[in-house]
Amino acid sequence: MTPIVFVHGIRISGTMWGPVVSRLSLLGRPATAVDLPGHGSRRGEPFSMEGATSAVAAAIDSLGGRALVAGLSLGGYVGIATAERFPGRVAGLVAMGCTARSPSALGAYRFVASLAARNPSLANRISAYGLRRLLPGPVGEAFVAGGLSCEVMPQVVEAVAGHDQLAALAAYPGRVWLVNGTRDPFRADERDFLRACRNGRLILIPRRGHLGVMAAPGPLARLLGDLCDQVDAGAVRSGGGGQGGAIGGDGGSGAIEAV
């Protein structure tokens, strides 16, 4: 059974995935969530894409050396970079809310990150308030449980800007699911990302925004479990899924699905 390694968003930590991980455990699916450099238990460390992908690879190794990688926002960009750097470890990739690469979006994010880093304690309090309002109850509490790290945001933005996600997707031979809420502004370039995949699917979640895809952890856990089942079935068909080889697919790249 393929395990899952979850990767969190900017300034948050692995605790954001707690409600999903707990539901997957009820389904018998092994899963863990990593803290990236500069976040959560690793707050204060410098962030780089190399350090972030190494953290994900270490989490994969802790679960046996091969796993589905699922990330949201920053976590999705890091997941793409991990698949490029460690294709033999990534059994499949679920990249959520991370299909935007336009200069205008990057410029806006640079501005927000620089403001947050000027007064990170204030920015952390504002972020915590906003997350609890957007995702009330246990889901919002999971987002803030590991602490917030707004001071690292400028480093993160530059690291993401300096990585070619489309080239990374083109280099990765495994299965990729791009998952976006239909109201997510970060889906702007999703068709370009889908075309870059060798074996990709685009899954749209109706009436959900960038973080809203996390609002219902039960259905999200079932979706991710289903995708893991597809990876498991593909590995069986391909004789065990050798290191770096393409995961067995059921058609060409480019399908679009709604859930």
Side-chain angles (χ1 to χ4, degrees):
M1 180 178 284
T2 302
I4 306 178
V5 171
F6 287 104
V7 194
H8 60 78
I10 191 170
R11 82 189 183 286
I12 312 174
S13 76
T15 63
M16 64 169 274
W17 290 104
V20 176
V21 171
S22 63
R23 284 162 175 79
L24 285 167
S25 68
L26 296 176
L27 301 174
R29 178 72 60 176
T32 191
V34 66
D35 279 353
L36 299 176
H39 298 77
S41 62
R42 302 184 63 177
R43 188 175 180 182
E45 297 181 24
F47 182 92
S48 68
M49 197 61 78
E50 180 179 3
T53 55
S54 293
V56 177
I60 295 172
D61 290 345
S62 74
L63 292 177
R66 190 165 170 81
L68 181 80
V69 173
L72 172 67
S73 193
L74 167 63
Y77 290 119
V78 170
I80 291 170
T82 303
E84 176 189 34
R85 186 180 176 196
F86 302 106
R89 288 183 171 101
V90 179
L93 173 65
V94 182
M96 304 171 60
C98 62
T99 53
R101 59 195 292 267
S102 66
S104 60
L106 178 60
Y109 225 80
R110 274 198 179 104
F111 177 71
V112 171
S114 66
L115 284 181
R118 290 177 192 173
N119 192 339
S121 60
L122 175 61
N124 288 340
R125 291 195 298 273
I126 294 172
S127 289
Y129 175 79
L131 289 167
R132 288 185 170 112
R133 288 293 301 271
L134 179 65
L135 300 166
V139 174
E141 291 304 319
F143 265 70
V144 302
L148 299 176
S149 308
C150 284
E151 67 277 2
V152 79
M153 290 179 67
Q155 295 178 35
V156 171
V157 172
E158 294 310 316
V160 172
H163 181 249
D164 189 337
Q165 293 92 25
L166 299 188
L169 287 171
Y172 175 59
R175 297 186 70 169
V176 178
W177 292 272
L178 305 173
V179 180
N180 287 325
T182 56
R183 296 175 179 172
D184 186 354
F186 277 79
R187 61 176 292 208
D189 302 306
E190 61 189 16
R191 299 304 180 107
D192 292 338
F193 278 68
L194 183 60
R195 281 190 291 267
C197 298
R198 296 195 199 178
N199 188 353
R201 299 290 185 274
L202 173 61
I203 298 175
L204 299 178
I205 301 179
R207 300 179 300 279
R208 296 294 187 186
H210 186 60
L211 298 182
V213 295
M214 301 288 296
L220 181 56
R222 288 193 294 274
L223 171 63
L224 292 167
D226 289 345
L227 299 185
C228 264
D229 289 341
Q230 293 182 41
V231 171
D232 293 339
V236 170
R237 288 197 299 271
S238 64
Q243 294 292 308
I247 306 299
D250 51 4
S253 177
I256 301 175
E257 309 167 26
V259 296

